[in-house]
Amino acid sequence: MTQDELKQLVGQAAADYVNANVPEGAVIGVGTGSTANCFIDALAATKHRYRGAVSSSVATTARLQQHGIKVFDLNEIESLPVYVDGADEIDHRGAMIKGGGGALTREKIVASVADVFVCIADASKRVDVLGQFPLPIEVVPMARTAIGRRVAAIGGVPVLRVAKDGTPFITDNGKEILDVKGLAISDPCGLEAVINAWPGVVTVGLFAQRGADLCLLGTETGVQTITYAKH
Ligand code: 5RP
């Protein structure tokens, strides 16, 4: 199977999971990226079961609305039974690197409200140690260089993310992203706390303190369901 076919497989598996476990009339938290898009497309078939969704990005909002799924502002919602999203890497504890698509801040906010975080990923995303995929850090632009120095001090190589036209990539929140190469992250929770405390950091793309509860992993032999201990 191709990577795209595996993404479709887990997108459908996540829709099946939500249909089986989430009560009718609920609002669903929805992530961002090509795997999350497969979930949105699969969920569209049963959209009338749900009141709507809370979105983690402008792109996801557009895709949900194309399917006629109502998008709520998170401020209108008291609880989310589930949040479904992809990942750039996931380890054996359910800790993830996210933000390859640039939506890390809203993803972390929506995930923090959800009762259950379901990660959907093809098997290439499963790793022993996080960090082969560059770690995104969303930063306030004036703090970019100062944060870059702190990154270098812990052994990372910060690279400012650029858009196709060569200008800095700007997130949905009007901020920039440093992609950090060269880290082997043995303590994801600890590193998340350290980077979160640096002035000017909006969000670090380590999702470890609130990691996944469940991963639907697309493999050659089908979808593997992996559950993780509570965080
Ligand atoms: C976006 C994300 C995505 O979940 C992550 O980049 C995985 O994307 P894809 O499903 O396209 O491989 O964190 O900010």
Side-chain angles (χ1 to χ4, degrees), residues 30-191:
V30 183
T32 296
S34 55
T35 318
N37 283 346
C38 293
F39 166 65
I40 295 169
D41 297 347
L43 192 73
T46 49
K47 65 182 180 189
H48 299 296
R49 284 192 88 239
Y50 306 104
R51 204 145 61 89
V54 171
S55 164
S56 58
S57 65
V58 171
T60 286
T61 296
R63 198 167 188 108
L64 288 163
Q65 288 174 339
Q66 276 161 20
H67 282 296
I69 298 172
K70 185 171 164 63
V71 176
F72 289 91
D73 186 303
L74 183 60
N75 293 302
E76 301 174 81
I77 299 301
E78 278 187 12
S79 64
L80 291 171
V82 70
Y83 176 68
V84 178
D85 199 358
D88 298 302
E89 287 184 347
I90 182 162
D91 75 6
H92 61 282
R93 292 168 283 210
M96 294 163 282
I97 286 182
K98 291 185 45 53
L104 59 165
T105 296
R106 296 188 190 189
E107 291 175 338
K108 203 175 265 197
I109 293 169
V110 183
S112 75
V113 175
D115 297 335
V116 177
F117 188 139
V118 177
C119 175
I120 46 176
D122 65 84
S124 71
K125 308 288 184 69
R126 179 81 198 269
V127 297
D128 290 331
V129 179
L130 298 173
Q132 191 71 29
F133 189 93
L135 175 65
I137 307 177
E138 185 168 351
V139 300
V140 174
M142 72 170 287
R144 178 203 317 126
T145 306
I147 291 169
R149 281 194 291 269
R150 289 183 187 263
V151 164
I154 61 163
V157 179
V159 178
L160 179 66
R161 190 179 296 187
V162 290
K164 283 195 185 108
D165 64 3
T167 61
F169 174 90
I170 303 296
T171 68
D172 289 350
N173 311 307
K175 305 294 187 287
E176 295 175 350
I177 290 184
L178 292 175
D179 288 307
V180 180
K181 298 181 179 172
L183 295 176
I185 303 169
S186 55
D187 177 11
C189 277
L191 187 61

Side-chain angles (χ1 to χ4, degrees), residues 8-22 39 42-43 45-46 49-50 84 216 223:
Q8 278 167 19
L9 196 67
V10 293
Q12 183 60 57
D16 294 343
Y17 172 88
V18 169
N19 289 333
N21 291 284
V22 172
F39 166 65
L43 192 73
T46 49
R49 284 192 88 239
Y50 306 104
V84 178
L216 300 173
V223 177

